[in-house]
Amino acid sequence: MSHSTATLNYKPQLILSGHKKSISSVKFSPDGNLLASAAADKLIKIWDAMTGDIVQTLSGHSEGISDIAWSAHNDCIASASDDKTVRIWSLDDTSVRILRGHTNFVFCVNYNPRSNLLVSGGFDETVRVWDVARGKSLKVLPAHSDPVTAVSFSHDGTLIVSCAMDGLIRIWDADSGQCLKTLVDDDNPMCSHVSFSPNSRYVLASTQDSTIRLWNYQTSRCVKTYTGHTNRTYSLVAAFSTAGGQYIVSGSEDAKIYIWDLQSRRIAQILEGHKDVVLAIDTHPTRKLIASASMEKDLTIRLWSEE
Amino acid sequence: MNTSLLNPFNITYPTAVQASLPSQCALARFDRSGRFVAAGRSDGSAAIWDLETRAAVRWLEGHVKGITSVDWSRNSRFVLTSSKDWNVIMWDMASDIDPPQRKTTIRFDASVSSASFHPRNSQIILALLQSGDAYLVDLRKRYRGRVELEDLQDDSDEESGTSPRSAMTVAQFDPTGRHIFVGTSTGSILVFNTRTKTMVARHKIPGAGIMKGFDFAKSGRRLVTNSSDRTLRQFTLPIYPSPNADGEYTEQELEPTHKFSDPINRIAWHAMSFSPDGEWLAGGAADPASHKIYIWDIANDGQLASTLDGGREPLIHVHWHPSKPSIVSTTNHGNILIWHCPSPERWGAFAGGFEEVDENVEYGEREDEFDIEDENVLAERKMKQEEEEVDILTGNDAEEVVEHPRVNGDEEDIAWADDEADEDVRGWKMKIVMEDELDMI
């Protein structure tokens, strides 16, 4: 099978402005109709992913927000904030549930596939698992020795992967909370972000040596390396793009967005337009659409399309 | 996914209580995904427990007297409860509200001892009444009706008039759904064809007494019975012919391949359950002062492998998890015990690149291990290795496939059961209902 690195042709489609401070996270809803964004201005905004119209603004956090996640049913958003809480926002009746327990900034949050559990991580160096229905903490994993920068479930909900500024990537058994594996690179660079591949057989990890690695966690081997972007300071997000071809997408501190071909590791396209560090990106679940967001000097969310 | 990282040698039978759920429940059953437990109470209510959060997520309020059985449809969308209040209720877990909506209520004219779904179609329901009659209820438009299963007792046998009519005391589908197995108060097993509702076989089990319960191994080829003589018997079932027009049936004595009993204490059994691979059998002892589950190793000539001690609260019911070494048992104090096989913490997993060994190993150094190589050569080799293609999309999720055991010559029965398919499709999602007492914005 040959994977010719067909050059991509993503073009800017929409520019959304509204946030007043650095945007930390953008996420498409699982059905692909909505886009949610969160920022240091303590607000979550929900946009129509097709038209770019603002649908809803959620306020309540008393400090900036670092991460958001959609429930699988498209009806709830969980947010992680510097006010040490995780909040679950119901979009149907605008009720909110506050999960208290973290003793420092909460930095990352994700639902499990059934959306009955939440997992969060933060500057208190723990990973916490929450019961969504009751709003109670189920597990506190003393996971890392530095702030936890990303945490998420595998597609079947049986594993949790976490990474931290201590440079370690850890894989946990979701049921027992036991650590099953630790992945570490020789140079031990700080970890910005980690997520499972769609089939959960690999993890994609961004590190602050300006490198993104795809790990086979069974064999503890790095199977792909993606470079070219700049990541030295911030926790940048990398994502898989599987709508028409397989690519890796990441923001960069040079204000650009990089798209690599998954197999060949060659840069397929670089998107230019933002005026500051591109912290957050997300890929649409079914269409060739990328959302990106940038920091103070820019404050825009951009949608890029290849259709 | 986690199984590949866990120790594969652990997968045997559970050994310890992982959680105790206070529920006031008398009986509890896993769904086929193993994520939920449905539990019935003697006051008529039932609850659905989410095992990931270990919390009740749905309350089924509809019966006014004790629940006698609970059953799950194959993709867990529907739950069937039977009760002493003469009703069988089918609940729809896909409804967005708690308590969930009822799909149907089926009313009988006596207390219902058990009700179960056909394994291929949740619109075909088997119900057993306290009065000793079994009914097959078909809710499909084309086949709508209620048929009583008739024991074709030879009249000639009853000339003396002394033999009382034998009552049906157990009724269950086999895993294929092709046959219904009925146990009687006179120690017989009657086999009915589900489609034609006609009896195809009768097995007399000498010495068994009153039949109290059945459980099938997943393949459907092995059956274990519980009866009033305090013995569990395992049988290998013959292949049953398709029913013929004359209504003939085979009369055959079955010889148990194994008998399980406690010869010292002569304990009776409340319930029993096969492990998913059929290699172990768990028996719940009817001991009035303790909570004991006996585990027999069927592959190893049916030896007693272990006796699990769950404390002082007497046991009522046991059910084995559909895929894991886990058991759910209930106590007469109203607690649900979840048993598991604890895996030892592996501290080596916390250190990257380390491997935990049980004893000292002489390290064999590779010939070139400490050679100083040119960095460029190293980088090039790494680049070469990374040329290998990776598959990030397809998985091997065996657990998602619902498999139906098949036997030869059952095409007609399968076609009949699959006609007018139910709404229990894979991939439906249970809405997460958040409890009240939400913080206001």
Side-chain angles (χ1 to χ4, degrees):
Chain A
M1 219 168 31
S2 75
H3 278 265
S4 60
T5 309
T7 46
L8 285 171
N9 193 18
Y10 275 94
K11 291 197 174 99
Q13 196 186 34
L14 287 169
I15 300 180
L16 319 178
S17 18
H19 283 293
K20 299 280 189 297
K21 284 188 179 173
S22 293
I23 301 160
S24 54
S25 183
V26 285
K27 291 282 168 72
F28 285 106
S29 60
D31 63 10
N33 293 331
L34 299 172
L35 178 75
S37 63
D41 62 6
K42 309 169 195 174
L43 298 178
I44 299 166
K45 288 181 184 284
I46 297 169
W47 317 78
D48 184 309
M50 302 303 121
T51 64
D53 294 336
I54 180 106
V55 178
Q56 216 170 336
T57 300
L58 307 172
S59 62
H61 276 298
S62 56
E63 296 294 337
I65 301 166
S66 294
D67 196 16
I68 46 173
W70 284 91
S71 73
H73 314 268
N74 306 296
D75 59 347
C76 286
I77 289 179
S79 58
S81 165
D82 284 358
D83 67 11
K84 304 176 192 172
T85 68
V86 173
R87 295 186 191 217
I88 304 171
W89 311 78
S90 166
L91 301 185
D92 301 337
D93 53 7
T94 64
S95 61
V96 62
R97 156 155 272 161
I98 304 176
L99 309 180
R100 291 186 175 88
H102 278 290
T103 55
N104 206 332
F105 309 149
V106 193
F107 197 71
C108 47
V109 67
N110 259 310
Y111 275 99
N112 73 339
R114 282 175 56 214
S115 300
N116 60 336
L117 300 177
L118 268 176
V119 64
S120 64
F123 276 59
D124 62 3
E125 301 166 9
T126 65
V127 165
R128 286 171 198 249
V129 180
W130 308 85
D131 174 352
V132 170
R134 289 184 301 171
K136 291 200 174 97
S137 169
L138 291 173
K139 284 188 190 79
V140 182
L141 310 177
H144 291 277
S145 54
D146 269 313
V148 180
T149 49
V151 65
S152 71
F153 280 97
S154 61
H155 78 291
D156 66 348
T158 59
L159 297 174
I160 293 171
V161 64
S162 67
C163 74
M165 293 187 191
D166 60 11
L168 303 179
I169 300 161
R170 289 205 158 120
I171 297 187
W172 309 84
D173 183 53
D175 183 39
S176 66
Q178 289 182 353
C179 180
L180 299 178
K181 197 99 185 187
T182 298
L183 304 174
V184 60
D185 195 62
D186 295 339
D187 306 329
N188 210 21
M190 281 195 200
C191 264
S192 300
H193 188 259
V194 69
S195 63
F196 280 104
S197 65
N199 63 2
S200 304
R201 287 168 63 179
Y202 300 94
V203 294
L204 184 69
S206 311
T207 43
Q208 292 180 17
D209 55 353
S210 299
T211 307
I212 300 169
R213 291 181 179 85
L214 188 69
W215 291 85
N216 178 336
Y217 59 85
Q218 302 281 358
T219 58
S220 303
R221 258 190 54 213
C222 168
V223 293
K224 299 276 177 191
T225 310
Y226 306 93
T227 53
H229 66 306
T230 313
N231 183 9
R232 300 271 169 205
T233 315
Y234 297 100
S235 280
L236 302 186
V237 173
F240 291 92
S241 165
T242 52
Q246 298 176 355
Y247 300 94
I248 303 292
V249 185
S250 172
S252 171
E253 287 162 13
D254 59 10
K256 295 172 192 165
I257 298 156
Y258 288 74
I259 309 174
W260 293 267
D261 180 273
L262 172 83
Q263 304 291 0
S264 74
R265 294 156 287 135
R266 279 192 278 274
I267 293 172
Q269 197 183 352
I270 299 173
L271 307 180
E272 298 186 42
H274 280 296
K275 297 185 191 68
D276 202 348
V277 174
V278 182
L279 268 186
I281 55 105
D282 195 24
T283 56
H284 193 274
T286 52
R287 293 176 47 200
K288 288 183 158 185
L289 198 60
I290 293 171
S292 62
S294 182
M295 290 179 52
E296 273 109 325
K297 283 181 237 153
D298 185 322
L299 296 181
T300 62
I301 299 166
R302 287 169 196 246
L303 286 169
W304 314 78
S305 164
E306 213 230 357
E307 279 168 6
Chain B
M1 289 301 309
N2 58 353
T3 48
S4 53
L5 286 181
L6 294 169
N7 184 353
F9 300 109
N10 275 335
I11 295 157
T12 50
Y13 57 85
T15 52
V17 175
Q18 183 181 29
S20 174
L21 314 174
S23 65
Q24 303 306 315
C25 289
L27 46 98
R29 272 185 86 82
F30 286 109
D31 77 324
R32 256 158 252 203
S33 72
R35 290 171 172 155
F36 300 105
V37 159
R41 299 168 31 144
S42 51
D43 67 359
S45 65
I48 306 298
W49 289 76
D50 183 336
L51 293 178
E52 280 177 350
T53 60
R54 303 228 175 86
V57 291
R58 293 286 190 282
W59 293 98
L60 313 181
E61 307 278 357
H63 292 290
V64 295
K65 282 186 179 171
I67 304 270
T68 52
S69 78
V70 286
D71 194 25
W72 288 90
S73 63
R74 63 199 180 286
N75 291 314
S76 314
R77 172 159 174 192
F78 301 109
V79 171
L80 198 66
T81 52
S82 67
S83 162
K84 290 176 184 164
D85 69 359
W86 302 10
N87 287 331
V88 171
I89 302 180
M90 182 171 167
W91 308 85
D92 186 357
M93 295 298 125
S95 64
D96 280 355
I97 45 169
D98 180 38
Q101 269 158 1
R102 293 183 195 201
K103 174 102 171 143
T104 324
T105 304
I106 307 166
R107 191 164 175 79
F108 291 93
D109 51 9
S111 173
V112 188
S113 338
S114 77
S116 50
F117 285 120
H118 188 288
R120 300 187 77 96
N121 196 326
S122 64
Q123 298 169 93
I124 308 169
I125 290 164
L126 175 66
L128 176 73
L129 306 189
Q130 192 73 53
S131 57
D133 307 307
Y135 289 90
L136 192 70
V137 181
D138 206 320
L139 302 172
R140 296 175 296 176
K141 281 201 186 76
R142 222 176 119 191
Y143 306 93
R144 188 172 289 269
R146 184 182 294 200
V147 178
E148 184 175 352
L149 299 178
E150 304 253 16
D151 180 1
L152 301 174
Q153 186 86 274
D154 276 343
D155 288 337
S156 54
D157 284 356
E158 293 177 38
E159 276 171 2
S160 57
T162 51
S163 71
R165 193 183 84 94
S166 70
M168 296 180 179
T169 49
V170 191
Q172 212 167 306
F173 286 107
D174 73 350
T176 65
R178 190 185 182 208
H179 293 112
I180 296 166
F181 282 68
V182 170
T184 71
S185 56
T186 52
S188 290
I189 300 172
L190 314 178
V191 186
F192 293 86
N193 179 284
T194 310
R195 176 172 52 88
T196 61
K197 290 99 181 161
T198 51
M199 201 165 110
V200 295
R202 171 205 300 279
H203 304 297
K204 273 217 152 63
I205 313 299
I210 304 164
M211 284 293 166
K212 288 170 66 186
F214 290 159
D215 193 47
F216 290 90
K218 240 184 198 167
S219 66
R221 290 301 312 281
R222 283 184 291 140
L223 166 73
V224 61
T225 63
N226 181 19
S227 51
S228 59
D229 69 340
R230 306 177 172 221
T231 305
L232 307 180
R233 290 174 172 81
Q234 185 194 251
F235 301 97
T236 302
L237 296 172
I239 305 277
Y240 297 103
S242 290
N244 60 19
D246 305 333
E248 285 172 8
Y249 63 87
T250 45
E251 183 95 38
Q252 187 189 356
E253 254 185 38
L254 279 184
E255 198 55 42
T257 52
H258 293 103
K259 282 187 180 186
F260 308 100
S261 60
D262 182 340
I264 299 153
N265 300 317
R266 296 289 298 148
I267 288 175
W269 308 100
H270 273 315
M272 66 283 172
S273 188
F274 275 112
S275 67
D277 57 6
E279 300 211 351
W280 308 91
L281 181 72
D287 186 321
S290 70
H291 190 101
K292 285 216 163 70
I293 300 171
Y294 287 57
I295 307 280
W296 291 282
D297 184 351
I298 296 195
N300 206 344
D301 208 30
Q303 276 180 7
L304 181 66
S306 178
T307 308
L308 311 182
D309 188 351
R312 290 166 183 280
E313 300 179 10
L315 175 144
I316 302 178
H317 193 257
V318 289
H319 187 223
W320 202 302
H321 190 283
S323 56
K324 283 200 273 190
S326 174
I327 286 177
V328 58
S329 66
T330 50
T331 76
N332 75 354
H333 288 47
N335 288 314
I336 301 174
L337 304 185
I338 310 284
W339 297 79
H340 76 145
C341 186
S343 52
E345 188 85 62
R346 284 180 301 158
W347 302 108
F350 278 93
F354 280 80
E355 204 180 317
E356 212 169 277
V357 290
D358 291 328
E359 50 188 59
N360 290 339
V361 177
E362 186 110 2
Y363 189 74
E365 184 189 318
R366 281 199 323 275
E367 175 60 36
D368 56 349
E369 187 161 355
F370 296 104
D371 292 0
I372 296 166
E373 274 190 274
D374 187 350
E375 274 187 26
N376 293 332
V377 177
L378 271 176
E380 202 167 296
R381 188 188 315 147
K382 187 146 170 54
M383 286 298 280
K384 270 252 162 57
Q385 280 176 353
E386 292 194 6
E387 291 296 327
E388 208 171 296
E389 295 221 338
V390 293
D391 177 3
I392 59 160
L393 290 180
T394 53
N396 42 353
D397 292 319
E399 70 251 289
E400 285 183 18
V401 183
V402 178
E403 44 185 322
H404 289 288
R406 289 190 63 133
V407 287
N408 285 332
D410 63 351
E411 284 77 16
E412 206 179 349
D413 293 311
I414 287 178
W416 173 82
D418 287 350
D419 196 13
E420 280 189 45
D422 59 17
E423 299 165 78
D424 180 31
V425 287
R426 223 163 67 202
W428 72 276
K429 288 192 177 117
M430 192 188 283
K431 188 183 157 87
I432 307 301
V433 177
M434 284 199 261
E435 279 179 14
D436 292 339
E437 55 177 306
L438 293 171
D439 306 273
M440 292 331 293
I441 299 179

